[in-house]
């Protein structure tokens, strides 16, 4: 991870090395935190954060589900993010706001702990390797089941949930695959360890519906809208493992993963990235970099100095 200069922590910018917390923090012991992953891209009009407000609203919803009172409004976090991007001076970066129960009382109940809020930013290249966007990746259905709605609420992007994702992706990586796909308890396709899943079959695009233990992905929503704009019909429904095997195209979406094609699932060949995937990937990358008038309202411009090219 490339370190930048500043981190926004509980209302102020601190030096990267000074952004520390106590080892007795509740969030460290019990995974009691919520977070976001957001990207800022370099555009002809400067650094733009993609759908920043929606990400921060999701952070607030996640906190609400965990009964965590965020000490900052969405608007305050929005200006904090912009302040941080300006201070670090890197136009194209990944932004990670995180809120967690801090140091006060240990014990599973979170009462008596402050809520700490931190925003980091750093340059993060392609999520699944340089080749992934172009040639696609190999995924494996995980032996781990995705957390169910009555296990940990999947609408919340909660830190503790990511143990589930970590186990899945590490199992897949150890077996030689790039990514895991998790199923629900009933065997329906849910998410990748950090992405939503899409299938293209006979010209129609399918993706698991929101009740299938998926994170309500902002990239997912972006892709659905762009796809419909390009004339595709998108169906949100329960999907099963063999829908992947028999698909014409499969791809994953996420802020980090952007639009990543899958060329194999469980050693079943799907093929090289297909035309629908590639068209959506191109439209997505054009949109986030300011190339689309239609979706220009999704870009929130940071008032940075001209970005430092080396970072
Ligand atoms: N499902 C999961 C489980 C998930 O973690 C993400 C984001 C998504 C779907 C897609 O959501 P969205 O980014 O709003 O389109 N995963 C984030 C964290 C990745 C990480 O390794 O950390 C991300 O993409 O930023």
């Amino acid at each position: 991870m490339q370190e930048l200069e500043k981190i926004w922590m509980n209302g102020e910018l601190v030096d990267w090395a000074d952004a520390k917390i106590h080892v007795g923090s509740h969030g460290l012991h019990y995974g009691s935190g919520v977070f976001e992953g957001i990207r800022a891209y370099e555009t002809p009009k400067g650094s733009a954060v993609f759908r920043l407000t929606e990400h921060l609203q999701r952070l607030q919803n996640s906190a609400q589900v965990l009964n965590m009172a965020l000490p900052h409004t969405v608007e305050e976090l929005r200006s904090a993010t912009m302040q941080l991007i300006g201070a670090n001076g890197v136009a194209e970066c990944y932004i990670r706001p995180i809120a967690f129960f801090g140091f006060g009382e240990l014990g599973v109940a979170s009462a008596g702990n402050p809520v700490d809020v931190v925003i980091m930013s750093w340059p993060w290249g392609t999520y699944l390797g340089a080749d992934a966007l172009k040639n696609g990746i190999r995924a494996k259905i995980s032996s781990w089941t995705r957390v169910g709605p009555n296990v940990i609420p999947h609408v919340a992007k909660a830190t503790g949930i990511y143990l589930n994702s970590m186990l899945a992706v590490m199992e897949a990586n150890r077996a030689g695959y790039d990514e895991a796909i998790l199923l629900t308890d009933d065997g329906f396709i849910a998410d990748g360890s950090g992405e939503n899943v899409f299938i293209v079959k006979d010209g129609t695009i399918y993706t698991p519906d929101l009740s299938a233990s998926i994170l309500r992905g902002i990239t997912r929503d972006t892709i659905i809208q762009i796809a419909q704009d390009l004339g595709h019909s998108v169906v949100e429904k329960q999907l099963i493992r063999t829908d992947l095997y028999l698909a014409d195209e499969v791809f994953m979406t996420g802020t980090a993963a952007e639009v990543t094609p899958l060329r194999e699932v469980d050693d079943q060949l799907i093929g090289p990235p297909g035309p629908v995937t590639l068209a959506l990937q191109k439209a997505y990358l054009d949109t986030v970099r300011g190339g689309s008038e239609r979706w220009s309202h999704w870009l929130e411009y940071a008032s940075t100095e001209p970005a430092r090219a080396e970072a």
Side-chain angles (χ1 to χ4, degrees):
M1 169 181 224
Q2 187 189 328
E3 297 183 12
L4 298 185
E5 263 169 58
K6 297 286 183 188
I7 289 175
W8 186 92
M9 195 165 187
N10 293 324
E12 54 180 5
L13 291 175
V14 299
D15 287 342
W16 184 281
D18 295 337
K20 293 181 177 157
I21 59 162
H22 198 278
V23 292
S25 295
H26 191 278
L28 176 64
H29 291 247
Y30 307 114
S32 55
V34 295
F35 71 104
E36 273 304 318
I38 310 168
R39 275 191 194 267
Y41 290 91
E42 191 155 11
T43 78
K45 288 194 274 175
S47 176
V49 190
F50 192 64
R51 303 189 73 173
L52 173 61
T53 302
E54 282 115 315
H55 277 282
L56 294 173
Q57 277 160 351
R58 188 172 66 183
L59 183 77
Q60 195 164 65
N61 290 343
S62 299
Q64 189 183 333
V65 170
L66 266 58
N67 269 305
M68 173 190 283
L70 283 188
H72 303 280
T73 62
V74 164
E75 188 42 45
E76 285 164 359
L77 294 174
R78 213 185 85 82
S79 63
T81 304
M82 295 307 193
Q83 197 192 349
L84 179 71
I85 294 173
N88 282 333
V90 176
E92 196 138 327
C93 58
Y94 185 83
I95 300 152
R96 167 58 54 83
I98 181 166
F100 53 93
F101 288 111
F103 178 64
E105 297 293 334
L106 279 183
V108 174
S110 60
N113 292 297
V115 176
D116 286 332
V117 185
V118 177
I119 309 174
M120 300 174 69
S121 76
W122 71 94
W124 197 353
T126 46
Y127 187 53
L128 292 156
D131 205 40
L133 291 182
K134 192 161 163 260
N135 295 318
I137 60 160
R138 298 173 59 242
K140 172 107 189 77
I141 300 290
S142 185
S143 72
W144 297 98
T145 300
R146 170 89 174 147
V147 292
N150 292 317
V151 180
I152 308 176
H154 60 266
V155 295
K157 195 167 166 66
T159 58
I161 288 187
Y162 283 81
L163 262 187
N164 185 224
S165 285
M166 185 190 89
L167 289 167
V169 70
M170 290 185 72
E171 177 191 61
N173 290 164
R174 278 196 304 266
Y177 300 87
D178 304 301
E179 184 53 296
I181 296 173
L182 292 93
L183 305 180
T184 64
D185 253 350
D186 323 337
F188 297 108
I189 297 169
D191 269 353
S193 73
E195 309 89 356
N196 294 119
V197 179
F198 285 79
I199 285 172
V200 184
K201 181 73 180 172
D202 297 332
T204 301
I205 300 174
Y206 299 90
T207 195
D209 67 278
L210 292 171
S211 65
S213 292
I214 66 168
L215 181 71
R216 189 187 194 110
I218 289 167
T219 320
R220 175 184 180 279
D221 177 73
T222 302
I223 287 300
I224 291 174
Q225 296 199 54
I226 290 178
Q228 288 169 340
D229 237 39
L230 295 177
H232 296 287
S233 72
V234 183
V235 180
E236 298 175 54
K237 68 187 275 272
Q238 291 182 324
L239 298 168
I240 55 175
R241 180 174 193 156
T242 44
D243 291 328
L244 294 166
Y245 299 174
L246 299 175
D248 299 326
E249 303 178 32
V250 180
F251 61 91
M252 288 178 149
T253 65
T255 300
E258 299 170 314
V259 179
T260 298
L262 267 67
R263 62 174 201 275
E264 267 178 40
V265 177
D266 289 346
D267 300 307
Q268 296 258 4
L269 187 68
I270 295 158
V276 177
T277 304
L278 290 176
L280 290 172
Q281 185 191 67
K282 180 176 183 308
Y284 181 77
L285 294 175
D286 276 355
T287 301
V288 297
R289 292 212 165 81
S292 159
E293 195 52 48
R294 164 93 169 92
W295 301 112
S296 56
H297 57 281
W298 279 338
L299 277 66
E300 300 183 38
Y301 287 92
S303 50
T304 47
E305 301 298 301
R308 279 187 257 145
E310 78 274 13

